[in-house]
Amino acid sequence: MGQRFSVFSSKSDTAAEEYLAKPSGACCLEGTIHQGVSRGKWETIADVETYIATPPAGKENGNVLLYFPDVWGMFPNGLLVMDAFADAGYLVLGLDYFRGDPVWKHRKNRHDKTNPNFDYEAWKRKHTAFADEAVPKWVKAVSDRYNGDGVKFACVGYCFGAPYVCSELAKDTVSVGAFAHPAFLKEHHFENIKKPLFLSCSETDHTFDVPSRRRALDILEKGGKTYHYQLFSGVSHGFALRGDPSDPYQLNAGNVGWVKEQSLAGIVNWFDYWLAQ
């Protein structure tokens, strides 16, 4: 078993909006570090450390996937998930907008009191401010580098990364996007998207609860957006990245669990379909 341990406009109208998916909270401090060896490489792109996972020879589909991590940053689980997307044919790039300062370095879990002076709210404000500035520059740099005949871009975000997915789906570079167990989302994130969105969610999620999910779906439906909603019972926030290996429904010793794999497969199939159109 493994070891336990804003994208918002500055305008007053969006600043005054209530959250649908709340900022990362205590549920984001729960999880398990999974076993495995990542195979990607690191490179600095637009002044941000970037993990690059390359598809196996002969499996390349010619498309690029942008990965926006959760508050645990570029930890083993995230790297292994990026490798899994690469196994599906995508060239995957993920940026470390926490700059080597993920939340788990301060709190191993929500009960951890070893660092009583850690200010979670200040940590979120600091890294959100940086990410809000860095992500658009990074996306442009990646697009400039890899854009070419037939190349299309997708994006995926977990928790903290969800608003960056919605932001890109409101622009022109990315053709399709997905998020799992999101945080930091307001109504305008759903109202403004122009591209297909896949929502992978858990039944129990204090960050994106039932009323918020229903409101988000209402916005997408009334706005005529293209979307797919996936919901898993019996799991909570973080299921797609930080599942418990003591529960084979979530994860087993081989880092394979039904819920985790179905979330990833659903996202891959969504990307494959829309990028083929």
Side-chain angles (χ1 to χ4, degrees):
M1 184 182 300
Q3 177 187 357
R4 301 289 295 181
F5 78 98
S6 104
V7 183
F8 311 117
S9 169
S10 60
K11 297 179 181 179
S12 60
D13 55 347
T14 56
E17 288 180 53
E18 293 184 0
Y19 287 104
L20 290 183
K22 302 176 184 66
S24 300
C27 58
C28 302
L29 297 173
E30 291 291 343
T32 303
I33 295 181
H34 301 160
Q35 300 298 318
V37 178
S38 57
R39 66 168 189 271
K41 65 179 183 179
W42 290 91
E43 186 175 334
T44 301
I45 298 177
D47 298 321
V48 183
E49 285 298 297
T50 301
Y51 182 81
I52 303 175
T54 304
K59 291 189 176 181
E60 307 92 339
N61 63 22
N63 297 317
V64 177
L65 174 59
L66 310 179
Y67 177 94
F68 302 121
D70 73 338
V71 294
W72 286 47
M74 308 305 274
F75 70 129
N77 305 22
L79 304 184
L80 294 170
V81 165
M82 281 188 273
D83 287 352
F85 281 118
D87 286 340
Y90 291 86
L91 174 64
V92 186
L93 296 95
L95 77 165
D96 181 15
Y97 37 48
F98 301 117
R99 294 170 288 172
D101 183 42
V103 73
W104 60 267
K105 286 193 173 181
H106 305 278
R107 287 283 176 85
K108 302 304 180 186
N109 57 59
R110 64 183 176 182
H111 306 296
D112 182 11
K113 305 299 183 183
T114 57
N115 185 6
N117 295 321
F118 174 58
D119 187 334
Y120 192 16
E121 297 305 313
W123 181 92
K124 286 186 283 188
R125 288 193 298 271
K126 169 186 174 182
H127 291 298
T128 299
F130 175 80
D132 285 354
E133 292 291 331
V135 167
K137 298 175 184 176
W138 181 84
V139 171
K140 183 180 186 305
V142 172
S143 174
D144 288 347
R145 173 185 293 196
Y146 294 104
N147 197 21
D149 291 340
V151 175
K152 294 182 180 180
F153 293 83
C155 63
V156 63
Y158 294 83
C159 184
F160 186 97
Y164 302 105
V165 168
C166 293
S167 178
E168 290 307 315
L169 295 183
K171 302 174 185 176
D172 297 321
T173 298
V174 169
S175 298
V176 62
F179 60 60
H181 40 82
F184 291 96
L185 293 179
K186 295 186 175 184
E187 291 191 359
H188 75 270
H189 288 108
F190 296 97
E191 292 168 346
N192 294 342
I193 66 169
K194 301 186 295 184
K195 310 293 178 60
L197 171 65
F198 187 100
L199 304 83
S200 187
C201 302
S202 56
E203 179 182 40
T204 303
D205 192 335
H206 298 296
T207 299
F208 198 37
D209 60 17
V210 173
S212 293
R213 295 197 298 265
R214 288 175 176 166
R215 176 58 184 153
L217 295 175
D218 284 344
I219 293 170
L220 293 170
E221 180 181 356
K222 291 178 181 178
K225 312 298 183 181
T226 299
Y227 69 95
H228 180 72
Y229 175 55
Q230 179 188 58
L231 181 69
F232 294 100
S233 66
V235 292
S236 58
H237 186 94
F239 73 94
L241 274 183
R242 296 178 264 115
D244 183 354
S246 67
D247 176 6
Y249 178 59
Q250 298 185 51
L251 200 73
N252 63 25
N255 285 336
V256 176
W258 193 86
V259 170
K260 174 189 172 186
E261 296 306 311
Q262 288 300 312
S263 175
L264 192 145
I267 293 170
V268 167
N269 290 337
W270 183 252
F271 291 163
D272 287 349
Y273 176 79
W274 288 109
L275 293 178
Q277 303 309 302

